[in-house]
Amino acid sequence: MKIYLAILFIFSCLTVSAQESYFYLNWDVNVPMTNKDWIGNSSTRGAKAGYRHFIGDERKFAAGVDFNWSYYQEYKPTETFQNPGGAITTDYFNEIFQIGLVVSGQYHFPVGNREHFFPYAGLGLGANRNDYSVLYNIYQDQESKWGFLARPEAGILIRIGTRRKLGAMAAVHYDYSTAGSVNYDYNNFSNVGFQLGVMLMQW
Amino acid sequence: MQIRLISFGFVLLVSWSCKPEADALRLLDELVVSTNYDTGADFGTYATYSIATDTIGFVSNAHPNDTIIVQSSQNTYPRVVLESVESNMDNLGYTRVEKDQNPDLRINVYVINDFNLFQQIVYPSYYYPSYYGYGYGYGSYYAYPYVNTYATNTGSLVVEILDLKNITPNNTVKVIWSAYMGDVYSTIDLIKQSKDAIDQAFVQSPYLGI
């Protein structure tokens, strides 16, 4: 929790001091695309926040940092796993907790008078950590991996009123991470995310 | 004002998207059943076994002086699990005899309590002494790789089958089959879940039987 509040504080300071920039905070729903036998459920427990600064006067290009986390969980009914020297029977939960931090750049397409709608496409590159866990009864097995994260993203910023600094934001992104797991049969991890939230703009 | 709004939204979003606990009722409504066996053992060559009637072993670092759990009006657990094991052995065709009737197999049942949780693959390269005297004074050893699971403030019900038919010259016996069932301290229904777990331990061990 402390780290989240620290990030909020930093972003708040940036939005107050910087010009031609925006801070956003989005609810992030993610659909896993890799090894869906292990976890196929979508994650509704996720968020994405970031700060982006416009480069130049025309508000075409922006660069910034994005931080995200998401949590996947799926229940597996009781099954028996045979091995050469015995067997184990249990029901269990598979879980993945994911955090990521990328440096991103965006191109904003000119639409209309450039006062209300700012559609954009961008790319983020950075690192992420995946915690793969299996919970059975009171026991837990876990494997944590760091990896490279690439995130193409497209979305739109919507300014509610020209005098208001508060706006809405919606985007879709594809995440490809090399933070796979040998134990749980992930060579890599990828997901598609849909985000919706608010932004606080400085211009 | 907007900062406050964003802050409120942030707290709200964090509250929602924080990692939730897994459903404990689902996790605890049945025991994890882990069985291991000596792949070199021929279970068809054994015919008789012995087992205690109303006492099971108890290994606890919290209660080092307590080494057994005895059947009583307040504690019916020992007899329930022993009868459940006996029933499964009988169904497989083995015959129960008294321990002085030279049984082929000895069955130990005990509860491990209050160990630190860790899992470890153990390979059979050592001997250890019998822990509470049910091995007729013999030491015993495992003849196959197996996984040990221990937990602090938790417990596992353990059933072991010892091979008395092939006692080594230095008076040690092989543990040719074992079942670990846990956690018996966090169960929703200890008696039922223990009986179900013992049944499952035999179901997932089809190589047992005459």
Side-chain angles (χ1 to χ4, degrees), chain A residues 4 23 25-27 44-46 69 71 75 78 84-91 93 136-138 141 165 200, chain B residues 2 5-6 10 13 16-17 19-20 22 26-27 30 32-37 39 117 119 154 182-183 200 204:
Chain A
Y4 298 148
F23 164 78
L25 177 64
N26 288 351
W27 178 39
T44 59
R45 291 185 179 262
W69 70 92
Y71 177 76
Y75 174 73
T78 303
I88 183 168
T89 299
T90 186
D91 59 342
F93 282 89
Y136 51 106
N137 202 276
I138 63 165
D141 296 331
K165 294 187 181 298
L200 187 61
Chain B
Q2 287 171 341
L5 194 62
I6 291 283
F10 186 86
L13 198 57
W16 164 249
S17 59
K19 183 178 178 180
R26 274 182 158 176
L27 286 174
E30 60 186 69
V32 177
V33 181
S34 174
T35 52
N36 300 280
Y37 71 104
T39 53
L117 176 63
Q119 287 193 313
T154 61
D183 170 71
Q200 175 58 39
Q204 70 189 41

Side-chain angles (χ1 to χ4, degrees), chain B residues 23-173:
Chain B
D23 186 348
L25 285 179
R26 274 182 158 176
L27 286 174
L28 300 177
D29 66 354
E30 60 186 69
L31 303 183
V32 177
V33 181
S34 174
T35 52
N36 300 280
Y37 71 104
D38 178 359
T39 53
D42 182 358
F43 290 93
T45 63
Y46 308 104
T48 59
Y49 72 96
S50 69
I51 188 172
T53 305
D54 55 10
T55 305
I56 63 175
F58 184 56
V59 182
S60 170
N61 57 2
H63 308 282
N65 295 325
D66 294 335
T67 56
I68 57 172
I69 302 173
V70 181
Q71 173 77 20
S72 68
S73 56
Q74 288 81 34
N75 189 352
T76 60
Y77 189 66
R79 190 165 293 164
V80 167
V81 296
L82 290 167
E83 287 179 353
S84 183
V85 173
E86 184 180 346
S87 172
N88 278 282
M89 289 295 286
D90 292 348
N91 290 339
L92 290 170
Y94 297 108
T95 303
R96 180 181 178 182
V97 298
E98 295 302 318
K99 63 181 182 181
D100 57 359
Q101 293 180 288
N102 197 27
D104 297 333
L105 303 169
R106 172 68 192 185
I107 297 179
N108 288 337
V109 180
Y110 58 97
V111 171
I112 297 178
N113 166 238
D114 212 20
F115 281 76
N116 291 321
L117 176 63
F118 68 94
Q119 287 193 313
Q120 176 186 40
I121 298 176
V122 181
Y123 295 91
S125 59
Y126 65 91
Y127 292 75
Y128 69 92
S130 184
Y131 23 80
Y132 64 98
Y134 272 6
Y136 295 97
Y138 302 116
S140 53
Y141 70 97
Y142 289 82
Y144 49 87
Y146 63 95
V147 178
N148 263 343
T149 301
Y150 301 104
T152 298
N153 293 324
T154 61
S156 294
L157 172 64
V158 181
V159 178
E160 288 179 337
I161 297 179
L162 283 65
D163 180 3
L164 300 185
K165 200 174 182 179
N166 301 294
I167 300 170
T168 62
N170 56 351
N171 281 344
T172 56
V173 292

